[in-house]
Amino acid sequence: MGLAVAAALAWIAPQQANARPNRAEQQIAQQMLSHINVLASDDFAGREPGTDGEGKTLRYIGQQLFQMGMVSGTNDPGHPWFAPVTLVAREPAASVAQFARRGRPVAVGDDDVLMLTSGRRSLVQKAPLYFVGRGGSVPPRAELAGRVAVMLDADTPAARAAAATGDVPRDRQSSTRQNALLAGGALAVITVLDGDRTLASVAGRRKRSGYALASQALGGDLEGFITRVGMARLLAGGPVSLDQLEAEADRPDFVPRVLDLSASLEATTRETTIRTHNLIGKIPGRHPEAGAVLLLAHWDHFGICGAPPAEHLVCNGAVDNASGVAAMLEIARRLARPAVPYDRDIYILATTAEELGLLGAEAFAEKPPIPLSNIVAALNVDSVAIAPADTPLGIVGKGMTPLDAAIAAVARQQKRKLSESTAPNQYIRRQDGWALINHDVPAVMVTSAYGNIALLETFFDTDYHRPQDVVKPGIELGGAAQDVLFHVALIQYFADMRRYVRPGG
């Protein structure tokens, strides 16, 4: 049996319980596979922002859109097609922590404390320490202001029991508690590692670069970690021991208290500038004043992510997100040359740095080519090569925008089944639509990939963000091909002023 025949049979096999794909779907699947083979090839080296892989990726996408007859959508004559995005990669540099009791220094080993910042440099001088227990609730701002919050890392006994059953509330996660205290007015937060985490494990994880959009701001959140031994040493000779504080924290009537210690804390980072780009194309409409429809997919991935002695070191990102870009291109192709111009403009956006924190989408929102209020609907496409044909459509963002009724109407017209589950919403923060929602843009992701959560989670547990995410024989494009056709109909609906009237007119 030839390889081509075997691959074709492998693709059809998962759909045997359903109807065979029609010719249009087969053609779309073939065209998508062609794009994926290029974008996820080793020659593109994992499509990392700021590398030669970015240049190859953007040239490929730009050439495709140009050949379709689109025009630049940046609306910036100085930067046609490619909208610059400047990132900074930060990794920890200096960490300083000095403590005092009534003005006299209290020694603690450098190996017992780690200070970190999200900015270039953060500094706190002679601030009192304020013990907040396990951080389950945030004290009033008047109590936190001007103080360094000290929080225990291990959770409450009740939450630890819940963890054993797998039912762990998100607000018990250490980073969430820490962020809530900072947002509540604390100058800094120091976490006492009295649970399973060690200072070495925290340091190892945080040595990896963090990424952000370039900013002139010097400051950032200041967070610290101290070993249990180190905290016990700080408290020795004072009015209360760490054992006593831990016991207080577990009492239902716990009340935060000011400790008889002050701290001078500093953290700095090393920065590397990364210059990357969003790519924006446009299909002009007859009535741009009526708003615009936005179709987007992120083009980036992780570049070289494996380490010797592994033979394959590239994170090719075939499913995530070469498949989403491929779908975006094929949707755009079927929209690009309408017999009658659409009423509204249609923008095609390929974002950078999604994998680094939705930063390309955030950059688009901070400097959009049109006012964000003009965007009537934003449709994100991400990791679609998951589900077979005839899988129901899941909606990431269901119930969170005014778009649900229109999506349901088009689904009825196209005879596509919509999943009633809200389970896809648990992934809302992990895709570019979230950055847009935070800027009040109605953004959703409508896809068969989220219509079968079990299949999606299998991908997350195996190939996701690993060198194994390559183009494999039998890559599943059945649902993705149907998703392309659905998005064509959906965007045509939103681009029609008569069929889709914006809420409020």
Side-chain angles (χ1 to χ4, degrees), residues 309-452:
E311 293 184 5
H312 184 64
L313 305 181
V314 179
C315 262
N316 300 83
V319 174
D320 180 20
N321 188 34
S323 72
V325 174
M328 180 184 74
L329 290 174
E330 290 311 308
I331 296 165
R333 188 183 312 282
R334 286 156 180 77
L335 293 168
R337 299 182 187 273
V340 177
Y342 304 109
D343 291 333
R344 296 184 170 107
D345 290 341
I346 298 172
Y347 283 83
I348 310 298
L349 168 65
T351 61
T352 183
E354 189 268 0
E355 302 290 10
L356 304 181
L358 317 183
L359 298 179
E362 181 65 29
F364 174 88
E366 290 187 2
K367 192 177 179 181
I370 57 172
L372 294 181
S373 59
N374 285 15
I375 300 176
V376 301
L379 304 170
N380 188 28
V381 188
D382 198 341
S383 303
V384 294
I386 298 286
D390 299 328
T391 299
L393 291 163
I395 303 176
V396 180
K398 183 179 178 67
M400 301 176 68
T401 74
L403 307 180
D404 288 1
I407 295 168
V410 176
R412 288 191 296 271
Q413 172 196 342
Q414 296 296 307
K415 297 182 171 55
R416 289 296 305 273
K417 182 177 179 181
L418 284 177
S419 170
E420 296 299 322
S421 174
T422 58
N425 281 355
Q426 67 186 294
Y427 299 100
I428 186 72
R429 296 171 183 264
R430 292 173 58 174
Q431 47 86 42
D432 273 338
W434 179 246
L436 299 178
I437 287 174
N438 283 332
H439 288 268
D440 298 323
V441 176
V444 293
M445 192 157 65
V446 188
T447 168
S448 59
Y450 285 77
N452 187 325

Side-chain angles (χ1 to χ4, degrees), residues 45 99 150 171 189 226 229 247 278 286 299 310 318 338 369 391 395 429 441 460-461 468 474 483-484:
F99 300 91
V150 178
D171 63 357
V189 177
I226 186 169
V229 170
N278 289 332
R286 294 180 296 180
W299 61 257
T391 299
I395 303 176
R429 296 171 183 264
V441 176
F460 286 154
D461 291 340
Q468 297 94 296
D483 290 357
V484 167

Side-chain angles (χ1 to χ4, degrees), residues 301-302 305 312 314-320 383 385-386 427 430 453-470 472:
H301 205 57
F302 290 109
C305 65
H312 184 64
V314 179
C315 262
N316 300 83
V319 174
D320 180 20
S383 303
I386 298 286
Y427 299 100
R430 292 173 58 174
I453 296 296
L455 281 178
L456 182 70
E457 290 181 343
T458 296
F459 169 67
F460 286 154
D461 291 340
T462 53
D463 296 347
Y464 177 65
H465 287 183
R466 298 176 177 90
Q468 297 94 296
D469 185 10
V470 296
K472 299 177 180 177

Side-chain angles (χ1 to χ4, degrees), residues 18 56 84 122 203 340 433:
N18 305 314
K56 293 178 180 180
S122 293
V340 177

Side-chain angles (χ1 to χ4, degrees), residues 216-229:
Q216 296 304 309
L218 286 173
D221 292 335
L222 183 58
E223 55 182 324
F225 300 86
I226 186 169
T227 65
R228 192 181 189 283
V229 170

